[in-house]
Amino acid sequence: MTTAKFSQWSPLSPWSIISFTLLTAKQLLSSGYAIIPVVYTGWKQGFNSPWVIVAIVAVIGVILLFSVLNWLKFRFKIASDKLIIRHGIIFKKADELPFTKIQNVRLEQPLYFRPMGLYRLIVETAGSKENEAELSALTYKDALSLKKQLMAEHDALFTQTDGINNQDVSDSHSKQVHTLSRKNISELVLFGLYQNNAIWLAVILGPIFGQLDWESVESLQLVQAFLTWYDNNIAVSILLQLVFASLALILFYLLFSILSIVSAVLKYFPYKLSRSGNTLHRTGGIIAKQNDALAIKRIQVIKFYQPLVGRLLKLWTLYFKQVKGHEVENRGNTNMLIPSMTRTEISSLLPELKGIEASATVLPTDYQRIHMGWFWRRGLLPFIVPAVNSYFLGLNVITDIMWLAAGLFSLGIYLKYRQYGYVIEGDDLWFHSGLLGHSWQLIALTKVQHVAISQSPNQQRSGLANLEIGLASGTVKLPYISVNAARDIAERSLALIHNDHRNWI
């Protein structure tokens, strides 16, 4: 299949039935419809009845039939300025995706397509919460050709919209692909280590451990030997107990990190981010090879995130936040990212991202904090509950625990207050936030869609205000800043976009 052939209505390869089958099965299982016949049959006949097997086979047969019909009715073609897809078994549908609305084009090779050397192409548009188009079982040549055509048209239209002359257009398209960042396996291991959400794995494993017979576990000879060793060597000193507890927490974190590390390596290795014209390309993946393309003009905010362990390792993760809805890394709020970046690497990368509107080239080291009033309005509230209980019940074990919990909660609010702040650099706004970890968000004021300033009566008396900045990627809120600073940011943003008639995305 050649590029010229895409201008005619084209079917997908019969191998795409695999994708249709997996998608249909996933939808039925997630909604629960697929298990209704099986459960009903088992309830009526008994789950050891042969009819249960018949029901399972019938469900699989219906899924396969539905997938085959979907494949037979699926057609696509590329017109002069849009991708058109026709599909639907009973109700016919025609989806038209203008090139100007395409945000990402992702090329993947799932494990089940690898033996045939086939790929699937996923097209996502701005503001969509689902995949707008998925073309499965394409050869690498066809998939790459389609991807380049879609993104080339996108770049050309953006270049014309921005008023760049023909010479600049020619120069932009004549630029060769150049690499912006590569990550080896050790850097991805570190990424998995510091991005590890061990707390969520602990929450998942909690109910499982709750089902264990701990009395039987305690009676095991190995456990008895460990408890004896602990009583004789560790329990004799509070300092040794603290050291042991700290080492145990570190060990548990490392054990929980194994899943995160393996996931990072399988998903991203060998990681490579490159730029071609006005498009970023991210490749990598061991199990499912991926080749993502993101138009630079679609980037609304660059987020630099550093969790607690990342702060110890002095490593950052960069996220390219796009038009809110559907992002490159698939599902929800996860965006195309660059893992394990140092400050030096960030300073080298930012100048290579011309076209994102923001002109900053260095990650700030300090920021203007918000007013202390934000903390006082929140930090004292947790103490109300233990104070009331102590007044009526007096001090006891329960109220002591309440006071301790209130103190820890208030400490968390204070740490969050300490991380709130901002920096203005020309036409760029840096927004800082966090708790134990922290993040910077780089916002080009030319990307602002709306601003709102609000004040409570107490803020009016103190000359403070809350500033809300609306972007296509979401909202950024700066609470308890000087009303003069809020007005300056708002007026500067509105002045920049007042005469800017380019595509708002």
Side-chain angles (χ1 to χ4, degrees):
M1 188 184 296
T2 62
T3 303
K5 197 172 181 179
F6 293 144
S7 61
Q8 306 297 323
W9 288 110
S10 305
L12 295 176
S13 164
W15 289 110
S16 64
I17 295 174
I18 299 175
S19 287
F20 284 118
T21 301
L22 293 175
L23 178 61
T24 303
K26 180 181 178 181
Q27 291 174 339
L28 289 176
L29 290 172
S30 62
S31 62
Y33 294 130
I35 64 174
I36 291 177
V38 179
V39 174
Y40 179 79
T41 304
W43 178 60
K44 288 290 187 180
Q45 305 291 334
F47 285 97
N48 58 347
S49 170
W51 287 104
V52 174
I53 299 177
V54 173
I56 293 174
V57 172
V59 170
I60 294 174
V62 170
I63 291 175
L64 287 174
L65 177 62
F66 185 78
S67 302
V68 171
L69 292 176
N70 266 329
W71 167 67
L72 290 173
K73 295 295 183 178
F74 193 98
R75 294 291 185 275
F76 74 95
K77 75 173 182 177
I78 291 185
S80 59
D81 60 348
K82 58 189 173 184
L83 171 65
I84 308 174
I85 296 176
R86 289 182 179 176
H87 59 103
I89 300 174
I90 299 176
F91 300 99
K92 308 296 183 182
K93 298 179 181 178
D95 297 331
E96 297 185 357
L97 280 65
F99 295 148
T100 55
K101 300 302 181 184
I102 293 176
Q103 177 162 273
N104 312 306
V105 178
R106 188 166 74 252
L107 191 60
E108 294 183 351
Q109 188 183 44
L111 190 60
Y112 51 83
F113 277 158
R114 191 167 297 181
M116 291 82 73
L118 300 176
Y119 289 75
R120 66 179 180 182
L121 187 83
I122 299 172
V123 182
E124 299 158 356
T125 59
S128 173
K129 292 185 179 294
E130 300 293 339
N131 294 337
E132 286 290 341
E134 182 173 319
L135 307 179
S136 297
L138 300 171
T139 65
Y140 180 72
K141 181 180 178 181
D142 291 338
L144 192 61
S145 177
L146 266 172
K147 177 188 171 187
K148 287 181 177 179
Q149 188 171 356
L150 292 173
M151 297 308 290
E153 291 284 347
H154 174 87
D155 284 343
L157 286 170
F158 259 122
T159 306
Q160 294 169 11
T161 305
D162 290 345
I164 302 176
N165 59 42
N166 292 332
Q167 180 62 41
D168 291 334
V169 173
S170 176
D171 292 343
S172 173
H173 288 284
S174 65
K175 289 181 180 178
Q176 294 182 350
V177 176
H178 60 284
T179 301
L180 300 180
S181 179
R182 288 182 184 270
K183 298 298 172 183
N184 56 38
I185 194 166
S186 62
E187 291 173 307
L188 292 176
V189 167
L190 289 175
F191 172 64
L193 177 65
Y194 75 76
Q195 286 285 112
N196 172 37
N197 292 318
I199 184 63
W200 297 114
L201 186 57
V203 169
I204 294 171
L205 293 178
I208 298 175
F209 286 133
Q211 301 300 317
L212 294 177
D213 185 357
W214 290 104
E215 292 184 0
S216 300
V217 173
E218 189 177 357
S219 63
L220 295 175
Q221 184 177 359
L222 183 63
V223 175
Q224 289 293 328
F226 171 77
L227 292 175
T228 302
W229 173 84
Y230 182 86
D231 290 336
N232 295 334
N233 298 279
I234 304 299
V236 296
S237 169
I238 295 179
L239 179 61
L240 289 175
Q241 291 181 56
L242 290 175
V243 172
F244 180 83
S246 301
L247 292 176
L249 288 174
I250 294 173
L251 178 61
F252 277 118
Y253 182 87
L254 293 175
L255 289 175
F256 287 147
S257 295
I258 292 175
L259 181 61
S260 178
I261 291 171
V262 171
S263 175
V265 173
L266 292 178
K267 182 174 183 180
Y268 293 110
F269 183 78
Y271 182 96
K272 178 183 176 183
L273 181 75
S274 57
R275 174 170 182 165
S276 175
N278 292 323
T279 306
L280 294 179
H281 299 270
R282 197 270 295 175
T283 59
I286 294 177
I287 293 180
K289 295 181 179 179
Q290 298 184 20
N291 188 328
D292 300 334
L294 169 63
I296 289 179
K297 288 289 186 178
R298 297 296 191 203
I299 298 173
Q300 305 297 304
V301 175
I302 301 181
K303 180 179 179 180
F304 307 80
Y305 178 59
Q306 191 178 52
L308 177 60
V309 179
R311 296 182 73 173
L312 299 176
L313 298 173
K314 297 183 178 180
L315 293 175
W316 298 78
T317 303
L318 270 67
Y319 296 93
F320 297 109
K321 300 183 71 174
Q322 306 139 46
V323 178
K324 192 173 183 179
H326 199 124
E327 290 80 13
V328 166
E329 296 291 347
N330 204 3
R331 300 291 181 268
N333 297 320
T334 309
N335 310 94
M336 180 183 277
L337 59 83
I338 310 178
S340 300
M341 294 287 285
T342 64
R343 277 186 173 270
T344 302
E345 290 173 329
I346 291 172
S347 299
S348 300
L349 174 71
L350 287 178
E352 299 292 333
L353 297 176
K354 294 178 180 177
I356 61 170
E357 303 290 341
S359 58
T361 58
V362 179
L363 200 62
T365 56
D366 199 6
Y367 49 91
Q368 175 66 46
R369 290 192 177 92
I370 64 173
H371 193 269
M372 190 71 175
W374 183 92
F375 169 74
W376 292 124
R377 285 184 61 86
R378 293 161 178 80
L380 300 179
L381 292 178
F383 293 102
I384 294 177
V385 173
V388 172
N389 281 273
S390 297
Y391 178 79
F392 288 103
L393 303 177
L395 293 176
N396 54 48
V397 176
I398 301 299
T399 54
D400 288 345
I401 293 175
M402 287 182 178
W403 280 108
L404 178 61
L408 292 174
F409 197 78
S410 181
L411 177 61
I413 295 174
Y414 178 75
L415 292 176
K416 186 173 182 179
Y417 151 74
R418 293 282 298 178
Q419 298 282 15
Y420 256 129
Y422 66 96
V423 176
I424 294 291
E425 291 183 356
D427 295 334
D428 299 335
L429 169 67
W430 289 94
F431 172 61
H432 190 273
S433 61
L435 189 63
L436 297 178
H438 63 154
S439 69
W440 284 102
Q441 294 188 59
L442 174 58
I443 303 165
L445 296 181
T446 53
K447 290 284 189 178
V448 172
Q449 291 187 32
H450 74 266
V451 290
I453 299 176
S454 61
Q455 289 180 294
S456 66
N458 184 56
Q459 286 177 321
Q460 289 179 352
R461 289 190 293 270
S462 303
L464 302 173
N466 301 318
L467 176 65
E468 179 180 292
I469 301 173
L471 302 156
S473 59
T475 301
V476 173
K477 296 181 180 179
L478 278 172
Y480 277 78
I481 65 174
S482 162
V483 65
N484 292 328
R487 288 172 179 166
D488 178 61
I489 295 172
E491 291 171 0
R492 190 177 304 193
S493 302
L494 295 176
L496 288 170
I497 65 176
H498 178 69
N499 295 317
D500 191 346
H501 303 294
R502 294 174 297 172
N503 191 320
W504 64 270
I505 297 178

